[in-house]
Amino acid sequence: MATLSTSLSGLKSATIRRSSPKLHNTHHFSTQLRFSSSRKPSASIVAMAGTGKFFVGGNWKCNGTKESITKLVSDLNSATLEPDVDVVVAPPFVYIDQVKSTLTDRVEVSAQNSWISKGGAFTGEISVEQLKDLGVKWVILGHSERRHIIGEDDQFIGKKAAYALSEGLGVIACIGELLEEREAGKTFDVCFQQLKAYADAVPSWDNIVIAYEPVWAIGTGKVATPQQAQDVHVAVRDWLKKNVSAEVASKTRIIYGGSVNGGNCAELAKQEDIDGFLVGGASLKGPEFATIVNSVTSKKVAA
Ligand code: PGA
């Protein structure tokens, strides 16, 4: 497994964790499994810092044909998926209808983008209303490929999120730093600025899942180390606590994306602030995606 050794400069996760009062869990298995560092037993029982259910999304990006997607859907339909995980796949727009009509209801469907307001004279765009018409429940917004290749900025993405939420879609809100930003010690600044743009635009965080995806890890095979990911997830939860509310910080799922695969998901899932994954390349293989979904078991098993 290739990893990037660049570490965060500035804040250290331990500092943030110490300065953050414990968030209280009320709903899930995490309640029983959360230990303060001083009480952590020697057998490693893994916990969730947040109270949200594990969430795994498959971002198929601009991949697939009718034929390959038929096979992928069939593999997903026959996979055994742990029950306590929200599972979502995001096909290309043109295959959403095919996927919706053939995929098990166990897996929800997301779009990879949506228009900023009600549909109309916007050539080449897809509206939230059209996505709802097809039974889509989620939309991925702010993905780094749309930020850095297409040129979408923070405010535009924030407005899209607000509109999608207002129409009842859930939003997978992506954030993440470029390699040069990490190397310049700006990882937290960049992530917090992107978070603020969402916070400034949305009236509620109820239907938002945050996806932390360091750009240098996306599609590169250079996965963040579990500690690198955990450091940022802790910081994001802390930011939510300070800037939104303790309740939102506790219940908002913060998922990791960037070269997640069947081999590295278990170690990542053990980190207490990693509440799931957004998966690109490995989500195109049904059995491997199922392995990633089922890595939730790493959270609740005593070693
Ligand atoms: P990857 O993509 O898993 O292929 O790195 C992740 C993503 O872009 O969501």
Side-chain angles (χ1 to χ4, degrees):
M1 170 171 80
T3 57
L4 196 83
S5 59
T6 316
S7 63
L8 292 167
S9 61
L11 289 166
K12 293 248 174 9
S13 67
T15 312
I16 297 168
R17 178 59 81 205
R18 271 198 299 276
S19 67
S20 305
K22 287 280 180 270
L23 300 170
H24 296 291
N25 299 319
T26 49
H27 304 306
H28 296 279
F29 54 80
S30 51
T31 309
Q32 292 81 42
L33 299 179
R34 185 89 196 252
F35 293 88
S36 70
S37 51
S38 58
R39 290 174 51 223
K40 205 162 256 173
S42 51
S44 60
I45 295 179
V46 181
M48 282 177 84
T51 57
K53 193 175 175 187
F54 206 68
F55 183 106
V56 177
N59 177 7
W60 297 356
K61 307 193 181 185
C62 188
N63 290 297
T65 59
K66 280 197 274 189
E67 195 183 338
S68 71
I69 284 173
T70 300
K71 163 91 170 71
L72 182 48
V73 167
S74 146
D75 286 347
L76 290 173
N77 287 344
S78 57
T80 303
L81 303 175
E82 287 289 320
D84 47 359
V85 185
D86 286 336
V87 187
V88 173
V89 293
F93 288 124
V94 288
Y95 299 116
I96 285 177
D97 212 17
Q98 178 191 336
V99 171
K100 264 309 287 178
S101 60
T102 53
L103 182 65
T104 166
D105 290 345
R106 169 72 185 87
V107 179
E108 286 185 337
V109 173
S110 172
Q112 298 175 19
N113 185 27
S114 58
W115 182 234
I116 194 169
S117 60
K118 195 168 157 51
F122 305 107
T123 303
E125 290 295 335
I126 309 283
S127 72
V128 171
E129 293 78 12
Q130 290 167 329
L131 296 173
K132 284 168 59 183
D133 190 34
L134 295 183
V136 167
K137 293 284 179 354
W138 292 89
V139 60
I140 298 170
L141 293 173
H143 191 279
S144 71
E145 285 147 18
R146 297 212 59 89
R147 289 178 188 271
H148 299 296
I149 301 174
I150 315 291
E152 295 188 9
D153 68 22
D154 288 348
Q155 281 65 38
F156 188 65
I157 294 162
K159 283 183 191 155
K160 282 187 173 187
Y163 187 72
L165 290 168
S166 76
E167 288 294 308
L169 287 191
V171 171
I172 301 168
C174 302
I175 61 170
E177 81 288 359
L178 295 163
L179 179 59
E180 57 263 37
E181 292 167 336
R182 170 163 285 257
E183 287 176 340
K186 292 184 182 156
T187 296
F188 291 167
D189 292 345
V190 170
C191 290
F192 295 166
Q193 184 185 316
Q194 293 170 348
L195 280 173
K196 183 173 186 307
Y198 290 116
D200 287 348
V202 304
S204 154
W205 287 75
D206 283 351
N207 284 322
I208 300 180
V209 170
I210 296 171
Y212 167 59
E213 300 201 296
V215 182
W216 47 268
I218 295 178
T220 58
K222 289 180 188 162
V223 65
T225 64
Q227 192 58 52
Q228 284 175 322
Q230 168 69 9
D231 285 346
V232 179
H233 284 227
V234 171
V236 167
R237 207 179 297 284
D238 198 56
W239 188 94
L240 288 173
K241 183 168 186 299
K242 288 192 181 116
N243 294 281
V244 185
S245 72
E247 192 198 355
V248 166
S250 176
K251 75 182 187 191
T252 301
R253 273 83 62 88
I254 307 170
I255 63 176
Y256 168 79
S259 296
V260 176
N261 61 37
N264 60 31
C265 56
E267 285 308 308
L268 287 159
K270 284 178 186 169
Q271 299 299 313
E272 63 181 344
D273 286 276
I274 295 184
D275 302 323
F277 300 112
L278 186 56
V279 187
S283 72
L284 299 171
K285 298 171 212 147
E288 186 167 6
F289 185 65
T291 299
I292 297 168
V293 169
N294 294 338
S295 68
V296 68
T297 54
S298 301
K299 282 228 168 296
K300 36 182 184 174
V301 170

